[in-house]
Amino acid sequence: MNTVEHTRNADRTLGDPIVQISNVAKSFHGNKVLHDVSLTVRQGEVVVIAGRSGSGKSTLLRCVDYLETIDSGEIRACGHLMGFKESAGGKRTALKEADIARQRQDLGMVFQSFNLFPHLTVLDNIVVPPVQVLKADEDATRAHARELLDRVGLPDKENAYPSQLSGGQQQRVAIARALAMKPKVMLFDEPTSALDPEMISEVLDVMIDLSTQGMTMIAVTHEMGFARAAADRVLLMHDGHIVEEAPPEKFFNNPDSEHTRLFLSKILSH
Amino acid sequence: MTWSWEHFFQYLFSGYIVEGAWTTVWLAVVSMILGCSLGVVLAFMKMSDRRPMRLIANTYIWLWRGTPLLVQLVIIYTGLPQIGIRLGVVESAILALSLHEGAYFAEIVRAGVMSVNKGQEDASKALGMTWAQQMRIVTIPQAIRVIIPPLGNQFNLMLKTTSLASVISMEELLRHAQQLAQIEFRVLEVYLVAACWYILLTTIWAQVQKRLESHYEKPFGPAGKPEAAPSINKIADITSTQA
Ligand SMILES: Nc1ncnc2c1ncn2[C@@H]1O[C@H](COP(=O)(O)OP(=O)(O)OP(=O)(O)O)[C@@H](O)[C@H]1O
Ligand SMILES: [Mg+2]
């Protein structure tokens, strides 16, 4: 990975909390994956989540977008209590799937495996969701999509199909597709793990660019260069707990948790 | 009586036989359309997260796949009147054939939908799509490719299976051949004529099916291999050979 300069703006002003995860617990078939996890992310903040395989990073991210239900606790994102409706008396009722779908419109998510729609062209991958889901104007959306393709460095690929693109190109299209919905928060789940080494930086550059433009981001990644360059905070998850939560300098140089030291020694020895 | 080409060709193009063949075609098409619609409903019931839905669909599929169509046909036409449900020949034939087809097509649709990568569902949900939008925009267009080949086979079977309806005196190809044989006594000629018409129908369908499959089998997007970004090494190679 190239040595990215410290582009992170030290005096970037962070806004109000936009994602609040409070005491969230989650099990799969009796196997507890998240234990009482709490995390607050403020508007404009970039949070990197690291941790070894199986520590619950993806599950946490998926819970934020309510792709997974939670067993206890609550998640507030972009003003929504994810998955629930709150009535005046504080009573909560589970939302119908169409209402949860509406809550998700404010969050963008990028997956390790890109998950582009293989039967649609690059442009349609980006244009179809806002037009169909948000009923956005088609011409305006198309113009916006072209701008986004420009921004992710793929201005000449709009008529290609995903199968004709390299992994790095597909992931950049996936980022553009998520941005076309004009999300308030972007969630990244190991966006570069499936990529050949030479394609990692083209995706990270797009993410860094996004962070400097003030996008709120929660990124699960082991790209510590990205964490150094763009993160306001780096978290370490271990067995379903957040065991470290620190600014990058402290995370890398002087972490509190033994788990972090162990994790860093493994990452850096690679 | 010896074999007669003259009679064979006379029957082959007789209006009575052609009329029977035409009935076979529309009976197959109508039953297929209704059966496939039922199959889609059953498939989604089977994939529902509501237990009663799954139970109904599974029980239906179990019953209809576990009993012969011939039995279903005579129950509907000759059995139901006993409890006051009287259906005509055509209605009974269409009903029996489509109820039967539905049970088989349900599994085909389910397999098609299940063949679509789980990541597609994640991406659709993350983009704020409802389940219905996900199905319409993402899942069904991809599942169609998996569904088309077995759908074609089912229609081939349906063209031939309609002949069972002759037992309830549905005026289709086999029934007309039987009637003709009883008048003319040229049993071999008449039934070979019927066989010829079936093979003509299934052969025409096979051609249509081939077109459909080649349309749906080709990879998404224009043919061609994935275009990889030129790596640094390749660029270096090019420049060094040019030097
Ligand atoms: N849908 C599921 N059903 C059952 N168990 C699951 C499911 N998803 C995740 N798990 C389990 O939950 C645990 C945490 O998984 P998770 O994917 O969140 O880890 P992760 O930190 O993202 O790991 P990785 O780095 O490998 O992606 C693992 O033990 C995993 O096997
Ligand atoms: Mg993961």
Side-chain angles (χ1 to χ4, degrees):
Chain A
M1 168 71 236
N2 52 341
T3 51
V4 194
E5 281 290 305
H6 256 241
T7 51
R8 188 172 57 90
N9 193 348
D11 50 32
R12 177 159 68 202
T13 48
L14 301 179
D16 296 331
I18 188 163
V19 175
Q20 286 174 289
I21 303 170
S22 314
N23 308 103
V24 165
K26 166 81 187 166
S27 323
F28 289 111
H29 321 293
N31 168 28
K32 202 151 191 184
V33 174
L34 297 177
H35 299 261
D36 200 34
V37 173
S38 296
L39 171 68
T40 299
V41 178
R42 297 169 58 168
Q43 200 151 11
E45 195 176 11
V46 177
V47 173
V48 163
I49 304 177
R52 70 175 186 204
S53 181
S55 56
K57 308 179 296 294
S58 297
T59 305
L60 179 61
L61 217 54
R62 293 171 62 84
C63 286
V64 174
D65 211 7
Y66 227 70
L67 297 177
E68 305 285 354
T69 56
I70 58 178
D71 300 341
S72 60
E74 62 169 49
I75 294 171
R76 288 182 189 275
C78 311
H80 311 294
L81 177 64
M82 298 303 289
F84 295 91
K85 190 172 75 187
E86 218 169 8
S87 47
K91 222 181 71 154
R92 284 174 191 190
T93 43
L95 279 177
K96 288 204 223 24
E97 68 85 31
D99 296 316
I100 299 176
R102 202 159 307 127
Q103 293 184 325
R104 291 194 188 108
Q105 292 170 7
D106 288 335
L107 297 117
M109 187 151 179
V110 173
F111 301 90
Q112 181 174 351
S113 48
F114 327 135
N115 299 344
L116 290 179
F117 303 133
H119 59 299
L120 301 180
T121 62
V122 162
L123 193 67
D124 283 345
N125 262 276
I126 303 172
V127 170
V128 167
V131 168
Q132 295 284 338
V133 176
L134 304 177
K135 312 291 176 221
D137 175 71
E138 196 166 338
D139 291 331
T141 307
R142 192 162 287 137
H144 184 217
R146 293 203 170 101
E147 268 167 45
L148 288 168
L149 279 175
D150 232 14
R151 196 161 145 196
V152 300
L154 295 168
D156 51 344
K157 293 293 184 207
E158 63 173 68
N159 293 318
Y161 280 82
S163 63
Q164 298 170 296
L165 302 183
S166 71
Q169 291 171 331
Q170 287 189 56
Q171 193 61 297
R172 285 183 281 153
V173 173
I175 294 172
R177 178 178 68 173
L179 291 174
M181 294 291 289
K182 303 190 174 140
K184 301 193 177 89
V185 175
M186 284 286 285
L187 310 169
F188 294 85
D189 189 3
E190 304 207 35
T192 58
S193 305
L195 299 180
D196 292 337
E198 69 269 20
M199 293 171 190
I200 290 176
S201 61
E202 69 193 41
V203 171
L204 292 182
D205 287 346
V206 169
M207 290 169 64
I208 290 170
D209 178 52
L210 209 51
S211 75
T212 58
Q213 297 186 15
M215 177 60 80
T216 310
M217 294 165 59
I218 307 178
V220 171
T221 178
H222 288 165
E223 290 300 327
M224 292 301 132
F226 171 77
R228 282 205 166 87
D232 295 289
R233 260 187 303 160
V234 187
L235 271 53
L236 189 86
M237 284 197 73
H238 183 82
D239 286 350
H241 299 271
I242 295 175
V243 294
E244 182 90 44
E245 187 177 338
E249 304 82 49
K250 180 163 162 36
F251 186 92
F252 292 110
N253 303 323
N254 184 25
D256 290 329
S257 168
E258 196 49 49
H259 295 301
T260 313
R261 271 188 272 276
L262 200 65
F263 174 80
L264 288 173
S265 70
K266 279 194 183 136
I267 283 272
L268 299 176
S269 69
H270 276 198
Chain B
M1 220 172 347
T2 53
W3 168 265
S4 157
W5 282 111
E6 195 196 327
H7 284 96
F8 175 79
F9 283 110
Q10 185 196 321
Y11 302 149
L12 190 58
F13 301 110
S14 83
Y16 191 57
I17 290 291
V18 174
E19 193 191 317
W22 168 241
T23 304
T24 289
V25 170
W26 70 250
L27 178 61
V29 170
V30 170
S31 305
M32 195 70 191
I33 292 171
L34 293 175
C36 290
S37 312
L38 173 65
V40 170
V41 173
L42 286 169
F44 283 104
M45 285 174 74
K46 214 173 136 81
M47 289 182 286
S48 162
D49 42 10
R50 273 176 240 163
R51 190 188 291 271
M53 289 287 195
R54 291 202 304 269
L55 191 70
I56 293 170
N58 284 328
T59 309
Y60 178 92
I61 291 167
W62 171 63
L63 287 175
W64 259 262
R65 284 171 48 134
T67 51
L69 174 57
L70 190 50
V71 174
Q72 296 164 15
L73 206 54
V74 294
I75 289 177
I76 289 173
Y77 183 64
T78 56
L80 291 186
Q82 202 180 317
I83 54 166
I85 303 171
R86 253 166 249 284
L87 296 173
V89 171
V90 176
E91 290 88 336
S92 299
I94 291 175
L95 188 65
L97 287 167
S98 34
L99 292 180
H100 184 76
E101 181 57 36
Y104 283 88
F105 196 60
E107 293 293 343
I108 292 172
V109 171
R110 196 175 75 103
V113 170
M114 304 288 265
S115 76
V116 178
N117 193 305
K118 170 76 169 65
Q120 297 288 304
E121 181 188 335
D122 285 345
S124 309
K125 281 184 174 171
L127 289 161
M129 290 186 200
T130 61
W131 180 84
Q133 286 170 331
Q134 179 206 326
M135 284 297 137
R136 181 168 54 82
I137 301 165
V138 179
T139 306
I140 302 290
Q142 294 182 59
I144 289 278
R145 293 150 57 91
V146 178
I147 293 173
I148 286 289
L151 171 72
N153 294 341
Q154 286 302 109
F155 188 66
N156 170 293
L157 285 175
M158 178 63 90
L159 281 169
K160 296 174 293 182
T161 308
T162 49
S163 60
L164 282 179
S166 62
V167 302
I168 61 164
S169 69
M170 174 80 195
E171 300 287 331
E172 45 66 71
L173 179 54
L174 180 60
R175 168 87 174 168
H176 277 201
Q178 285 167 341
Q179 305 270 26
L180 199 59
Q182 274 171 22
I183 304 165
E184 301 274 322
F185 299 110
R186 292 208 164 262
V187 177
L188 185 61
E189 285 88 344
V190 169
Y191 284 121
L192 277 176
V193 160
C196 283
W197 273 98
Y198 280 113
I199 203 130
L200 178 70
L201 296 180
T202 53
T203 306
I204 292 171
W205 173 248
Q207 294 308 310
V208 176
Q209 189 181 351
K210 219 160 143 189
R211 294 255 170 93
L212 277 175
E213 281 180 24
S214 66
H215 179 261
Y216 280 103
E217 257 170 14
K218 61 176 183 244
F220 293 118
K225 46 183 182 301
E227 161 193 343
S231 70
I232 306 293
N233 289 343
K234 266 193 217 140
I235 292 168
D237 281 348
I238 294 163
T239 45
S240 66
T241 47
Q242 277 172 349

